[in-house]
Amino acid sequence: MDKEAFSGFYKKEINERQEIFAKEFDLSEEDKKLLTKEGPLPFEIANKMVENVVSTFPLPYGLATNFNIDGKDYIIPFAIEEPSVVAAASNAAKLSSGFETSADDPVMIGQIQVVNVDGAKAKVAVEKAREELLSFATTIDPILVKFGGGPKDITVEVLNDEEGDMLDIHLLVDVRDAMGANAINTMTEKLAPKIEELTGGKVILRIISNLAIYRRAQAKTTWTKESLAASTKGQFKGEDVVDAILNAYRFANATQFRATTHNKGIMNGIDAVVIATGNDFRAIESGAHSFASYEGNYSPLTKYSKDKEGNLVGEIDIPLALGLVGGATKVHPLAQLSIKILGIKTANDLAKIIASVGLAQNFAALRALSTEGIQRGHMRLHAANIATQAGASKEEEQIVAQKMIETGEVNQGKAEEILKTMRTGGSLAS
Ligand code: MEV
C-alpha cells in the first residue's frame, strides 16, 4: 500500500475512492462487490455525513415488540449486532405491567472555561452581568426561541488547581427537539468575547457538556410475581424471582465491577434505539456513565424494590440528550423510518421510550442471570452463527446448532465435525 495514493482522498468521488482503496489493498472481485453494494443508506447521503466514505456499514435492524408506554403500544426499532438483546427486551416488556414515564425539559449545559482570572472577582463580574448575558444569548438563535426554547440560566463556579483559578461558566439552554450540540456550541462561542471583557481573563473552551443532568427521562414499571413465575415455566416461584432480582440489584449497588456490567446491559437496549434513530450514542454513553457516578460512587442506573403485594417494581432515571431535528436523524432513511413507526413528535417522547427500553433490558438481564443464567438464551443464536461460520448451509445451520447445544460444545471445531458427519451420512447420535 502506498500512502501517497490516499493524499487528497477527501476530494475524490466515492467511486474514485473505492478504486484507490481496491487497488492499494489488492482487493478481490468479491471484496469489491461488498464495498460497492448499496444498502438502505445511499452512498450519496453517506458521503455528505462523514469524510472519506468508501462504503456503508450495516447493522441488523430488528423490532422489539410488546412495549406499552404511558398506555400506548409501541414497536421499537433496534440497530444492534448482539444476539438476544431484541428478544430479551420484547420479553421483558411482555411480562411487565406497562411503563409509566416522565421527562425533564430538554435543557443542556454549555461550558465556558476562563483562565488567568482572580476566581472570586471574576465570578462576581459574570453573576452581575447575568441578565445582560442571557438577553444577548437569546438573540443568537431566534428560531429556537420561537419554538419555546433558548437560554434559561447562567451559573458560575470557581475551580482551581496548581496553575491557579479558572471559571467554569454553565450556560443552560432549552434546546427543544435538537440534541443541542450545535446550538450550544454556537452560543458559547459568541458569548466568549463578552466573558473575556467582563472578567479580564482568557476563554479557552466553549463546548456542550455531555453530562446532561437537567435533561433526564424516567420510567417505572411493575413485574408481578405471577408473571415472573410464569416466565420461568414453573421452575421458580414468583417471590423467589423477585428476591433473586433484588439480590442482583444489591450486588450492583455494592460493587462497581458489577454496576458497570449492570449498566452495560441497560445500554444494550438504549444504544440500539439511539442508533436506530440516528442519534449520537457516544454522547448518551458518556452522559449515562458519568451520571452513574454523579453522587460519588459509580452506581446502577436502575432501582428495584418490592411493593406491598410482593411484586417487583423497577425504575430508571437517566440523562438522554436526543434529537429529532438534526444530524443523522434527519438524513438517514432508516432513522426517519424509525421515527415514523414510533409515531413521535418530540425528542422528549423519544427519551421516554428509550428510558423504558433501558429498564426492560436491564430487567431481562437480571431475571435471566439470577434464575437460569444468561448463556442458555444466548446460545441458540450464537450456535447458529458458529454453524454458518463453519460452512453450514441454511438447511444445515439449525441442525448443527441444535447438535452443538445438545453436546454442550459450541465451537467451530465441533460444528465442522458435525457437518462432516452429516455430509458423509454418518450417525449424529451422541
Ligand atoms: C451482556 O451484553 C449484558 C449483560 O452482561 C448485562 C448484565 O450482566 O446485567 C448480560
Side-chain angles (χ1 to χ4, degrees), residues 212-369:
I213 51 163
Y214 303 117
R215 193 183 192 180
R216 296 179 353 226
Q218 299 78 27
K220 186 174 181 178
T221 192
T222 299
W223 285 278
T224 63
K225 285 178 300 196
E226 293 72 27
S227 79
L228 291 177
S231 77
T232 70
K233 302 203 171 61
Q235 265 186 304
F236 295 85
K237 285 206 246 122
E239 300 95 281
D240 293 347
V241 182
V242 173
D243 290 340
I245 292 176
L246 289 174
N247 273 323
Y249 169 57
R250 282 178 57 214
F251 195 32
N253 258 321
T255 151
Q256 179 167 3
F257 286 95
R258 176 55 207 157
T260 305
T261 322
H262 178 106
N263 288 343
K264 191 275 183 184
I266 296 174
M267 301 316 286
N268 273 346
I270 289 190
D271 282 347
V273 189
V274 169
I275 295 172
T277 55
N279 272 285
D280 180 347
F281 63 94
R282 285 87 52 211
I284 299 295
E285 279 279 341
S286 59
H289 293 290
S290 178
F291 183 64
S293 59
Y294 192 58
E295 308 265 297
N297 284 333
Y298 184 88
S299 308
L301 288 159
T302 48
K303 278 196 189 126
Y304 290 91
S305 57
K306 207 192 265 195
D307 70 10
K308 286 198 299 291
E309 287 78 42
N311 301 317
L312 182 74
V313 179
E315 291 170 74
I316 188 168
D317 179 12
I318 185 167
L320 286 171
L322 299 159
L324 285 190
V325 294
T329 308
K330 261 284 168 265
V331 296
H332 195 305
L334 273 184
Q336 281 292 295
L337 182 66
S338 298
I339 302 293
K340 190 159 111 185
I341 63 163
L342 289 172
I344 48 176
K345 296 276 176 287
T346 68
N348 267 9
D349 293 342
L350 181 58
K352 290 172 178 178
I353 292 170
I354 291 183
S356 306
V357 167
L359 177 57
Q361 205 72 58
N362 179 235
F363 159 84
L366 297 188
R367 190 196 67 84
L369 287 165

Side-chain angles (χ1 to χ4, degrees), residues 37-51:
K37 189 165 183 201
E38 244 172 303
L41 175 61
F43 286 165
E44 202 192 319
I45 298 178
N47 201 27
K48 290 189 187 132
M49 289 170 73
V50 306
E51 306 73 34

Side-chain angles (χ1 to χ4, degrees), residues 338-413:
S338 298
I339 302 293
K340 190 159 111 185
I341 63 163
L342 289 172
I344 48 176
K345 296 276 176 287
T346 68
N348 267 9
D349 293 342
L350 181 58
K352 290 172 178 178
I353 292 170
I354 291 183
S356 306
V357 167
L359 177 57
Q361 205 72 58
N362 179 235
F363 159 84
L366 297 188
R367 190 196 67 84
L369 287 165
S370 61
T371 55
E372 80 254 26
I374 204 85
Q375 284 310 85
R376 208 184 70 171
H378 266 165
M379 222 20 111
R380 185 154 298 279
L381 275 175
H382 177 61
N385 277 336
I386 299 277
T388 310
Q389 275 162 31
S393 67
K394 222 176 154 19
E395 293 72 40
E396 292 165 330
E397 180 198 277
Q398 286 308 323
I399 306 169
V400 176
Q402 179 59 32
K403 202 67 212 160
M404 280 194 288
I405 290 169
E406 278 168 19
T407 59
E409 272 181 83
V410 181
N411 57 55
Q412 187 146 346

Side-chain angles (χ1 to χ4, degrees), residues 3 10 22 53 59 170 233 237 302 366:
K3 76 172 186 194
Y10 68 98
V53 169
L59 278 176
H170 285 190
K233 302 203 171 61
K237 285 206 246 122
T302 48
L366 297 188

Side-chain angles (χ1 to χ4, degrees), residues 1-108:
M1 188 269 296
D2 172 13
K3 76 172 186 194
E4 285 311 312
F6 290 85
S7 99
F9 203 56
Y10 68 98
K11 291 188 217 153
K12 311 262 192 239
E13 299 294 332
I14 289 206
N15 60 338
E16 293 173 300
R17 286 193 210 120
Q18 287 168 336
E19 274 163 33
I20 295 169
F21 182 36
K23 178 162 171 272
E24 292 306 313
F25 284 88
D26 203 14
L27 299 187
S28 64
E29 281 311 308
E30 196 93 327
D31 291 336
K32 280 194 247 173
K33 259 197 222 145
L34 205 63
L35 198 67
T36 53
K37 189 165 183 201
E38 244 172 303
L41 175 61
F43 286 165
E44 202 192 319
I45 298 178
N47 201 27
K48 290 189 187 132
M49 289 170 73
V50 306
E51 306 73 34
N52 291 355
V53 169
V54 291
S55 192
T56 54
F57 188 95
L59 278 176
Y61 182 76
L63 301 178
T65 54
N66 306 320
F67 275 83
N68 185 281
I69 303 172
D70 298 321
K72 193 170 163 207
D73 290 329
Y74 288 93
I75 295 292
I76 306 180
F78 278 38
I80 188 162
E81 87 300 344
E82 185 174 327
S84 304
V85 170
V86 178
S90 306
N91 193 247
K94 188 173 178 181
L95 298 175
S96 99
S97 61
F99 297 83
E100 280 166 26
T101 70
S102 51
D104 303 335
D105 282 345
V107 173
M108 296 294 290

